[in-house]
Amino acid sequence: MSETTLIILVLGLAIILGIIAYNMYQENKYRQQVREQFGHSDKDALMGSKTDFVRDGKSQEQTGVPIRPLRQKDISEPQDDTPAMVQPKDDLFAARVSAAAASKPDIEIEFEDDFTETVIKPELKPAEAAFDFKQMPAPVFSQTKLYGKRKLLLDLQDLTKLELPWFDHRFDYMAYISLSEPQELHAIPRLAGRHRFQIAGCTMDDRFQIAEPIPSVYYQGFIIGLQAISRSGLATTQEIEHFGAQVNSFAEKMNGGLLLTDVETFLNIARPLDELCARVDQTIAMHLVSRGTVSGIELRSAVESLGFELGVDGAFHLPDENGEPLFSIVTLDNAPFTSSLLSSQAYRGFSMLFDITHVPAGEKQFNRFMDLAVKLSSTLGLDLVNDKLEELSTQWLKDVRSYVLARQDEMKKVGIEPGGQLAQRLFS
């Protein structure tokens, strides 16, 4: 073999290896982009990858913008600037979906027991042992401040014993104020912070109500609760102390006495509940993709025929009997649906979302979610797939159902009914 031939063979081999390496790089880049686009799905529980949580829009391994941020602007009607903002691009995921559609024969989706390996890893501990809620001692009150030397209208210690429907001592940090004389509330106090608060007032007939600045309504005292647990996470010691200082100023202005719950005692009670909230606050995503495209008009007609309504956040929602969203439908690339785009463009599919904490507990609701997905799949000719574009098996669905029910059972054991009022407060 001549030296020239050997050089040519070496160069050819180097080119082939370079092409293989480039293809591997492109494949890895695609997988990363798909993970970013479908960050809302519960990948660890369902597909064996990392888990993203809804409560704060962050995963355990990364921080960043919320998974699906709520759009405050009403975009259900055409806007002058919507085309530039929401026009979807032919990105790598879209190209991969198209390529997969072109290479696969037209077949009907059938759910058979052809997948024997469980995709959800067994839990290390039983759900019952995941969080041990022990009986905690009664709250300790760290500050009692009296302004002026007049006698208070209400006993501060008696106020701490009241059970009011607007507060839950497991996650509401409480402050109690008793006035020295009846006063009108001229304005709701401005208590700045990232966590919500509520203020209840005791009127002259000894009844408590949500306090409002109403002329001729006089109050004897107030109870203020800071909701320290939400999808923003648990309030820090500094945030709670800042809240206490603001309430302190309000009490001083009203010439009243103040009683604050001990911060550390409260956090010892709140932390286990916050950990449970982080554990259960997840959204299951099921993707319906087309082997070609489906027109926006046809898509809207199909989902609205099943009861979904287009919301101001750019997603379709199926309302429950109280008008609260039950299931949601969003675009594959997280761009909002709008009336103008739905009437003028085609889509490669969409994702159906099941929020574990907001859907009432029970197998019935998950079966309903699946029934709607199958109906839309049949009506629009779409494939039901996971984040890896793999068709769903019966075993996959059984595992997901079991996972959802287990998380909802955890909530019920601590008195938080999925979809109930407490759940609406904690997971909003």
Side-chain angles (χ1 to χ4, degrees), residues 38 40 68 286-290 294 299-300 302-303 308 316 328-333 337 347-353 372-373 376-377 380 382-385:
F38 294 110
H40 56 273
R68 290 195 177 274
M286 193 159 303
H287 312 302
L288 291 84
V289 300
S290 173
V294 56
L299 187 156
R300 182 171 190 172
V303 300
F308 286 86
F316 285 97
S328 301
I329 290 176
V330 299
T331 59
L332 293 174
D333 60 0
F337 287 113
Y347 293 84
R348 288 188 172 88
F350 52 85
S351 300
M352 285 187 62
L353 306 182
L372 292 171
L376 289 172
S377 171
L380 298 173
L382 304 176
D383 292 341
L384 286 168
V385 301

mmCIF file of all heavy atoms in Angstrom, residues 38 40 68 286-290 294 299-300 302-303 308 316 328-333 337 347-353 372-373 376-377 380 382-385:
data_model
loop_
_atom_site.group_PDB
_atom_site.id
_atom_site.type_symbol
_atom_site.label_atom_id
_atom_site.label_comp_id
_atom_site.label_asym_id
_atom_site.label_seq_id
_atom_site.Cartn_x
_atom_site.Cartn_y
_atom_site.Cartn_z
ATOM 1 N N PHE A 38 -39.904 20.789 28.096
ATOM 2 C CA PHE A 38 -40.919 20.068 28.848
ATOM 3 C C PHE A 38 -40.566 19.999 30.323
ATOM 4 O O PHE A 38 -40.721 18.989 30.971
ATOM 5 C CB PHE A 38 -41.092 18.651 28.286
ATOM 6 C CG PHE A 38 -41.644 18.655 26.894
ATOM 7 C CD1 PHE A 38 -40.864 18.298 25.811
ATOM 8 C CD2 PHE A 38 -42.947 19.051 26.666
ATOM 9 C CE1 PHE A 38 -41.379 18.301 24.537
ATOM 10 C CE2 PHE A 38 -43.475 19.060 25.389
ATOM 11 C CZ PHE A 38 -42.691 18.691 24.327
ATOM 12 N N HIS A 40 -42.056 21.128 32.717
ATOM 13 C CA HIS A 40 -43.192 21.042 33.619
ATOM 14 C C HIS A 40 -43.563 19.612 33.957
ATOM 15 O O HIS A 40 -44.336 19.379 34.855
ATOM 16 C CB HIS A 40 -44.403 21.730 32.975
ATOM 17 C CG HIS A 40 -44.744 21.174 31.626
ATOM 18 N ND1 HIS A 40 -44.161 21.643 30.475
ATOM 19 C CD2 HIS A 40 -45.548 20.170 31.257
ATOM 20 C CE1 HIS A 40 -44.635 20.969 29.436
ATOM 21 N NE2 HIS A 40 -45.467 20.069 29.897
ATOM 22 N N ARG A 68 -43.876 27.406 33.833
ATOM 23 C CA ARG A 68 -44.902 27.980 32.958
ATOM 24 C C ARG A 68 -45.428 29.243 33.630
ATOM 25 O O ARG A 68 -46.421 29.207 34.357
ATOM 26 C CB ARG A 68 -46.029 26.980 32.708
ATOM 27 C CG ARG A 68 -45.555 25.829 31.827
ATOM 28 C CD ARG A 68 -46.711 25.034 31.261
ATOM 29 N NE ARG A 68 -46.203 23.999 30.380
ATOM 30 C CZ ARG A 68 -45.919 24.163 29.100
ATOM 31 N NH1 ARG A 68 -46.103 25.340 28.562
ATOM 32 N NH2 ARG A 68 -45.460 23.179 28.359
ATOM 33 N N MET A 286 -48.891 15.121 29.634
ATOM 34 C CA MET A 286 -49.077 14.119 28.596
ATOM 35 C C MET A 286 -49.096 14.852 27.250
ATOM 36 O O MET A 286 -49.868 15.785 27.055
ATOM 37 C CB MET A 286 -50.381 13.352 28.815
ATOM 38 C CG MET A 286 -50.493 12.106 27.980
ATOM 39 S SD MET A 286 -51.684 10.975 28.699
ATOM 40 C CE MET A 286 -51.023 10.743 30.342
ATOM 41 N N HIS A 287 -48.238 14.442 26.320
ATOM 42 C CA HIS A 287 -48.072 15.162 25.067
ATOM 43 C C HIS A 287 -48.813 14.456 23.934
ATOM 44 O O HIS A 287 -48.743 13.231 23.791
ATOM 45 C CB HIS A 287 -46.589 15.283 24.713
ATOM 46 C CG HIS A 287 -45.751 15.747 25.859
ATOM 47 N ND1 HIS A 287 -45.967 16.937 26.509
ATOM 48 C CD2 HIS A 287 -44.710 15.159 26.506
ATOM 49 C CE1 HIS A 287 -45.086 17.076 27.481
ATOM 50 N NE2 HIS A 287 -44.322 16.010 27.506
ATOM 51 N N LEU A 288 -49.536 15.223 23.164
ATOM 52 C CA LEU A 288 -50.234 14.730 21.983
ATOM 53 C C LEU A 288 -49.591 15.395 20.771
ATOM 54 O O LEU A 288 -49.679 16.612 20.613
ATOM 55 C CB LEU A 288 -51.729 15.054 22.034
ATOM 56 C CG LEU A 288 -52.554 14.291 23.095
ATOM 57 C CD1 LEU A 288 -52.471 14.993 24.450
ATOM 58 C CD2 LEU A 288 -54.011 14.159 22.666
ATOM 59 N N VAL A 289 -48.935 14.608 19.913
ATOM 60 C CA VAL A 289 -48.204 15.157 18.776
ATOM 61 C C VAL A 289 -48.749 14.589 17.475
ATOM 62 O O VAL A 289 -49.231 13.457 17.411
ATOM 63 C CB VAL A 289 -46.691 14.876 18.885
ATOM 64 C CG1 VAL A 289 -46.113 15.500 20.137
ATOM 65 C CG2 VAL A 289 -46.403 13.376 18.878
ATOM 66 N N SER A 290 -48.651 15.415 16.449
ATOM 67 C CA SER A 290 -49.133 15.042 15.121
ATOM 68 C C SER A 290 -47.973 14.572 14.253
ATOM 69 O O SER A 290 -46.843 15.034 14.387
ATOM 70 C CB SER A 290 -49.820 16.245 14.461
ATOM 71 O OG SER A 290 -50.144 15.959 13.121
ATOM 72 N N VAL A 294 -51.880 19.919 12.698
ATOM 73 C CA VAL A 294 -53.320 20.035 12.888
ATOM 74 C C VAL A 294 -53.653 21.520 12.916
ATOM 75 O O VAL A 294 -52.967 22.309 13.553
ATOM 76 C CB VAL A 294 -53.773 19.331 14.189
ATOM 77 C CG1 VAL A 294 -53.032 19.884 15.389
ATOM 78 C CG2 VAL A 294 -55.274 19.458 14.383
ATOM 79 N N LEU A 299 -58.172 22.257 16.109
ATOM 80 C CA LEU A 299 -57.734 22.002 17.483
ATOM 81 C C LEU A 299 -58.677 22.677 18.479
ATOM 82 O O LEU A 299 -59.137 22.049 19.434
ATOM 83 C CB LEU A 299 -56.312 22.518 17.656
ATOM 84 C CG LEU A 299 -55.573 22.217 18.974
ATOM 85 C CD1 LEU A 299 -54.060 22.254 18.746
ATOM 86 C CD2 LEU A 299 -55.934 23.209 20.082
ATOM 87 N N ARG A 300 -58.976 23.942 18.232
ATOM 88 C CA ARG A 300 -59.850 24.675 19.158
ATOM 89 C C ARG A 300 -61.240 24.062 19.208
ATOM 90 O O ARG A 300 -61.829 23.926 20.289
ATOM 91 C CB ARG A 300 -59.925 26.136 18.749
ATOM 92 C CG ARG A 300 -60.771 26.989 19.694
ATOM 93 C CD ARG A 300 -60.663 28.469 19.388
ATOM 94 N NE ARG A 300 -61.282 29.269 20.433
ATOM 95 C CZ ARG A 300 -61.208 30.589 20.514
ATOM 96 N NH1 ARG A 300 -60.539 31.259 19.588
ATOM 97 N NH2 ARG A 300 -61.789 31.230 21.501
ATOM 98 N N ALA A 302 -62.061 20.973 18.695
ATOM 99 C CA ALA A 302 -62.032 19.681 19.386
ATOM 100 C C ALA A 302 -61.965 19.851 20.893
ATOM 101 O O ALA A 302 -62.686 19.190 21.646
ATOM 102 C CB ALA A 302 -60.849 18.849 18.883
ATOM 103 N N VAL A 303 -61.087 20.743 21.386
ATOM 104 C CA VAL A 303 -60.931 20.885 22.831
ATOM 105 C C VAL A 303 -62.132 21.597 23.456
ATOM 106 O O VAL A 303 -62.548 21.261 24.573
ATOM 107 C CB VAL A 303 -59.618 21.621 23.185
ATOM 108 C CG1 VAL A 303 -58.422 20.852 22.657
ATOM 109 C CG2 VAL A 303 -59.602 23.043 22.670
ATOM 110 N N PHE A 308 -63.303 22.505 27.371
ATOM 111 C CA PHE A 308 -62.170 23.391 27.668
ATOM 112 C C PHE A 308 -62.483 24.816 27.201
ATOM 113 O O PHE A 308 -63.185 25.005 26.202
ATOM 114 C CB PHE A 308 -60.910 22.890 26.968
ATOM 115 C CG PHE A 308 -60.293 21.675 27.602
ATOM 116 C CD1 PHE A 308 -60.714 20.404 27.271
ATOM 117 C CD2 PHE A 308 -59.287 21.811 28.551
ATOM 118 C CE1 PHE A 308 -60.151 19.278 27.858
ATOM 119 C CE2 PHE A 308 -58.716 20.703 29.148
ATOM 120 C CZ PHE A 308 -59.147 19.420 28.799
ATOM 121 N N PHE A 316 -55.769 26.499 27.449
ATOM 122 C CA PHE A 316 -57.140 26.022 27.583
ATOM 123 C C PHE A 316 -57.288 25.356 28.949
ATOM 124 O O PHE A 316 -56.409 24.602 29.386
ATOM 125 C CB PHE A 316 -57.470 25.012 26.480
ATOM 126 C CG PHE A 316 -57.686 25.632 25.122
ATOM 127 C CD1 PHE A 316 -56.659 25.666 24.201
ATOM 128 C CD2 PHE A 316 -58.917 26.170 24.770
ATOM 129 C CE1 PHE A 316 -56.839 26.222 22.944
ATOM 130 C CE2 PHE A 316 -59.118 26.735 23.510
ATOM 131 C CZ PHE A 316 -58.076 26.763 22.599
ATOM 132 N N SER A 328 -55.509 21.337 32.114
ATOM 133 C CA SER A 328 -55.088 22.418 31.218
ATOM 134 C C SER A 328 -54.466 21.856 29.952
ATOM 135 O O SER A 328 -53.939 20.732 29.951
ATOM 136 C CB SER A 328 -54.086 23.352 31.923
ATOM 137 O OG SER A 328 -54.651 23.918 33.083
ATOM 138 N N ILE A 329 -54.519 22.652 28.897
ATOM 139 C CA ILE A 329 -53.881 22.318 27.623
ATOM 140 C C ILE A 329 -53.000 23.493 27.218
ATOM 141 O O ILE A 329 -53.464 24.638 27.170
ATOM 142 C CB ILE A 329 -54.927 22.026 26.530
ATOM 143 C CG1 ILE A 329 -55.653 20.709 26.822
ATOM 144 C CG2 ILE A 329 -54.286 21.977 25.156
ATOM 145 C CD1 ILE A 329 -56.764 20.384 25.837
ATOM 146 N N VAL A 330 -51.730 23.215 26.936
ATOM 147 C CA VAL A 330 -50.777 24.249 26.546
ATOM 148 C C VAL A 330 -50.055 23.805 25.282
ATOM 149 O O VAL A 330 -50.087 22.629 24.907
ATOM 150 C CB VAL A 330 -49.753 24.524 27.673
ATOM 151 C CG1 VAL A 330 -50.440 25.021 28.919
ATOM 152 C CG2 VAL A 330 -48.954 23.261 27.984
ATOM 153 N N THR A 331 -49.376 24.736 24.630
ATOM 154 C CA THR A 331 -48.630 24.404 23.416
ATOM 155 C C THR A 331 -47.355 23.639 23.770
ATOM 156 O O THR A 331 -46.861 23.693 24.889
ATOM 157 C CB THR A 331 -48.250 25.677 22.644
ATOM 158 O OG1 THR A 331 -47.444 26.506 23.493
ATOM 159 C CG2 THR A 331 -49.486 26.451 22.217
ATOM 160 N N LEU A 332 -46.812 22.935 22.778
ATOM 161 C CA LEU A 332 -45.593 22.168 22.996
ATOM 162 C C LEU A 332 -44.394 23.061 23.296
ATOM 163 O O LEU A 332 -43.494 22.663 24.033
ATOM 164 C CB LEU A 332 -45.292 21.303 21.760
ATOM 165 C CG LEU A 332 -46.276 20.166 21.469
ATOM 166 C CD1 LEU A 332 -45.925 19.496 20.150
ATOM 167 C CD2 LEU A 332 -46.294 19.145 22.599
ATOM 168 N N ASP A 333 -44.378 24.265 22.709
ATOM 169 C CA ASP A 333 -43.228 25.146 22.904
ATOM 170 C C ASP A 333 -43.489 26.241 23.927
ATOM 171 O O ASP A 333 -42.738 27.199 24.037
ATOM 172 C CB ASP A 333 -42.799 25.775 21.576
ATOM 173 C CG ASP A 333 -43.910 26.605 20.938
ATOM 174 O OD1 ASP A 333 -45.012 26.680 21.539
ATOM 175 O OD2 ASP A 333 -43.688 27.163 19.859
ATOM 176 N N PHE A 337 -51.658 30.168 23.373
ATOM 177 C CA PHE A 337 -52.715 30.118 22.375
ATOM 178 C C PHE A 337 -53.405 31.484 22.339
ATOM 179 O O PHE A 337 -53.667 32.082 23.387
ATOM 180 C CB PHE A 337 -53.772 29.068 22.748
ATOM 181 C CG PHE A 337 -53.340 27.641 22.572
ATOM 182 C CD1 PHE A 337 -53.181 26.807 23.670
ATOM 183 C CD2 PHE A 337 -53.110 27.123 21.299
ATOM 184 C CE1 PHE A 337 -52.801 25.486 23.515
ATOM 185 C CE2 PHE A 337 -52.725 25.800 21.135
ATOM 186 C CZ PHE A 337 -52.567 24.986 22.244
ATOM 187 N N TYR A 347 -50.615 23.559 14.210
ATOM 188 C CA TYR A 347 -49.797 23.159 15.350
ATOM 189 C C TYR A 347 -49.346 21.711 15.171
ATOM 190 O O TYR A 347 -50.012 20.914 14.518
ATOM 191 C CB TYR A 347 -50.589 23.299 16.653
ATOM 192 C CG TYR A 347 -50.929 24.722 17.013
ATOM 193 C CD1 TYR A 347 -52.054 25.357 16.471
ATOM 194 C CD2 TYR A 347 -50.140 25.450 17.891
ATOM 195 C CE1 TYR A 347 -52.365 26.667 16.789
ATOM 196 C CE2 TYR A 347 -50.447 26.764 18.224
ATOM 197 C CZ TYR A 347 -51.561 27.365 17.672
ATOM 198 O OH TYR A 347 -51.864 28.660 17.985
ATOM 199 N N ARG A 348 -48.219 21.396 15.765
ATOM 200 C CA ARG A 348 -47.726 20.023 15.729
ATOM 201 C C ARG A 348 -48.260 19.201 16.893
ATOM 202 O O ARG A 348 -47.970 18.015 16.995
ATOM 203 C CB ARG A 348 -46.196 20.029 15.751
ATOM 204 C CG ARG A 348 -45.592 20.495 14.440
ATOM 205 C CD ARG A 348 -44.081 20.298 14.450
ATOM 206 N NE ARG A 348 -43.518 20.571 13.139
ATOM 207 C CZ ARG A 348 -43.120 21.751 12.714
ATOM 208 N NH1 ARG A 348 -43.244 22.789 13.518
ATOM 209 N NH2 ARG A 348 -42.627 21.930 11.512
ATOM 210 N N GLY A 349 -49.012 19.817 17.774
ATOM 211 C CA GLY A 349 -49.594 19.114 18.904
ATOM 212 C C GLY A 349 -49.713 20.018 20.112
ATOM 213 O O GLY A 349 -49.607 21.240 20.002
ATOM 214 N N PHE A 350 -49.924 19.413 21.267
ATOM 215 C CA PHE A 350 -50.064 20.168 22.507
ATOM 216 C C PHE A 350 -49.823 19.239 23.678
ATOM 217 O O PHE A 350 -49.666 18.013 23.506
ATOM 218 C CB PHE A 350 -51.449 20.827 22.604
ATOM 219 C CG PHE A 350 -52.604 19.876 22.393
ATOM 220 C CD1 PHE A 350 -53.096 19.120 23.448
ATOM 221 C CD2 PHE A 350 -53.188 19.740 21.152
ATOM 222 C CE1 PHE A 350 -54.159 18.244 23.264
ATOM 223 C CE2 PHE A 350 -54.250 18.867 20.949
ATOM 224 C CZ PHE A 350 -54.733 18.118 22.011
ATOM 225 N N SER A 351 -49.790 19.801 24.892
ATOM 226 C CA SER A 351 -49.591 19.032 26.119
ATOM 227 C C SER A 351 -50.801 19.207 27.025
ATOM 228 O O SER A 351 -51.323 20.316 27.169
ATOM 229 C CB SER A 351 -48.335 19.498 26.863
ATOM 230 O OG SER A 351 -47.182 19.335 26.068
ATOM 231 N N MET A 352 -51.238 18.111 27.634
ATOM 232 C CA MET A 352 -52.290 18.155 28.647
ATOM 233 C C MET A 352 -51.638 18.058 30.017
ATOM 234 O O MET A 352 -50.762 17.219 30.242
ATOM 235 C CB MET A 352 -53.288 17.014 28.449
ATOM 236 C CG MET A 352 -54.234 17.220 27.286
ATOM 237 S SD MET A 352 -55.524 15.941 27.237
ATOM 238 C CE MET A 352 -56.370 16.223 28.805
ATOM 239 N N LEU A 353 -52.062 18.919 30.949
ATOM 240 C CA LEU A 353 -51.431 19.017 32.262
ATOM 241 C C LEU A 353 -52.399 18.620 33.369
ATOM 242 O O LEU A 353 -53.559 19.033 33.382
ATOM 243 C CB LEU A 353 -50.938 20.445 32.513
ATOM 244 C CG LEU A 353 -50.017 21.057 31.453
ATOM 245 C CD1 LEU A 353 -49.597 22.451 31.876
ATOM 246 C CD2 LEU A 353 -48.810 20.174 31.204
ATOM 247 N N LEU A 372 -60.118 11.998 28.328
ATOM 248 C CA LEU A 372 -60.083 13.196 27.497
ATOM 249 C C LEU A 372 -58.888 13.175 26.549
ATOM 250 O O LEU A 372 -59.007 13.558 25.376
ATOM 251 C CB LEU A 372 -60.019 14.444 28.388
ATOM 252 C CG LEU A 372 -61.272 14.747 29.216
ATOM 253 C CD1 LEU A 372 -60.995 15.867 30.209
ATOM 254 C CD2 LEU A 372 -62.435 15.127 28.312
ATOM 255 N N ALA A 373 -57.749 12.715 27.045
ATOM 256 C CA ALA A 373 -56.557 12.635 26.188
ATOM 257 C C ALA A 373 -56.778 11.666 25.040
ATOM 258 O O ALA A 373 -56.421 11.947 23.881
ATOM 259 C CB ALA A 373 -55.339 12.222 27.022
ATOM 260 N N LEU A 376 -59.212 13.211 22.431
ATOM 261 C CA LEU A 376 -58.542 14.210 21.591
ATOM 262 C C LEU A 376 -57.562 13.541 20.631
ATOM 263 O O LEU A 376 -57.429 13.959 19.476
ATOM 264 C CB LEU A 376 -57.815 15.226 22.468
ATOM 265 C CG LEU A 376 -58.719 16.199 23.235
ATOM 266 C CD1 LEU A 376 -57.899 17.036 24.210
ATOM 267 C CD2 LEU A 376 -59.453 17.111 22.259
ATOM 268 N N SER A 377 -56.894 12.507 21.097
ATOM 269 C CA SER A 377 -55.974 11.771 20.227
ATOM 270 C C SER A 377 -56.712 11.168 19.051
ATOM 271 O O SER A 377 -56.255 11.234 17.904
ATOM 272 C CB SER A 377 -55.274 10.674 21.033
ATOM 273 O OG SER A 377 -54.532 9.823 20.188
ATOM 274 N N LEU A 380 -58.319 14.135 16.640
ATOM 275 C CA LEU A 380 -57.358 14.931 15.872
ATOM 276 C C LEU A 380 -56.273 14.088 15.210
ATOM 277 O O LEU A 380 -55.405 14.638 14.523
ATOM 278 C CB LEU A 380 -56.707 15.970 16.782
ATOM 279 C CG LEU A 380 -57.666 17.007 17.401
ATOM 280 C CD1 LEU A 380 -56.938 17.875 18.423
ATOM 281 C CD2 LEU A 380 -58.293 17.872 16.313
ATOM 282 N N LEU A 382 -53.799 12.299 16.734
ATOM 283 C CA LEU A 382 -52.533 12.593 17.385
ATOM 284 C C LEU A 382 -52.012 11.368 18.137
ATOM 285 O O LEU A 382 -52.787 10.502 18.547
ATOM 286 C CB LEU A 382 -52.698 13.757 18.367
ATOM 287 C CG LEU A 382 -53.262 15.059 17.785
ATOM 288 C CD1 LEU A 382 -53.459 16.091 18.888
ATOM 289 C CD2 LEU A 382 -52.352 15.597 16.708
ATOM 290 N N ASP A 383 -50.703 11.308 18.320
ATOM 291 C CA ASP A 383 -50.070 10.246 19.087
ATOM 292 C C ASP A 383 -49.873 10.693 20.523
ATOM 293 O O ASP A 383 -49.439 11.816 20.782
ATOM 294 C CB ASP A 383 -48.707 9.878 18.492
ATOM 295 C CG ASP A 383 -48.829 9.210 17.126
ATOM 296 O OD1 ASP A 383 -49.925 8.720 16.815
ATOM 297 O OD2 ASP A 383 -47.827 9.187 16.391
ATOM 298 N N LEU A 384 -50.175 9.807 21.462
ATOM 299 C CA LEU A 384 -49.912 10.068 22.873
ATOM 300 C C LEU A 384 -48.496 9.604 23.186
ATOM 301 O O LEU A 384 -48.181 8.415 23.071
ATOM 302 C CB LEU A 384 -50.904 9.314 23.754
ATOM 303 C CG LEU A 384 -52.333 9.859 23.810
ATOM 304 C CD1 LEU A 384 -53.253 8.861 24.474
ATOM 305 C CD2 LEU A 384 -52.365 11.176 24.552
ATOM 306 N N VAL A 385 -47.634 10.545 23.599
ATOM 307 C CA VAL A 385 -46.228 10.221 23.822
ATOM 308 C C VAL A 385 -45.739 10.844 25.118
ATOM 309 O O VAL A 385 -46.375 11.739 25.682
ATOM 310 C CB VAL A 385 -45.343 10.713 22.650
ATOM 311 C CG1 VAL A 385 -45.784 10.077 21.339
ATOM 312 C CG2 VAL A 385 -45.376 12.239 22.546
#
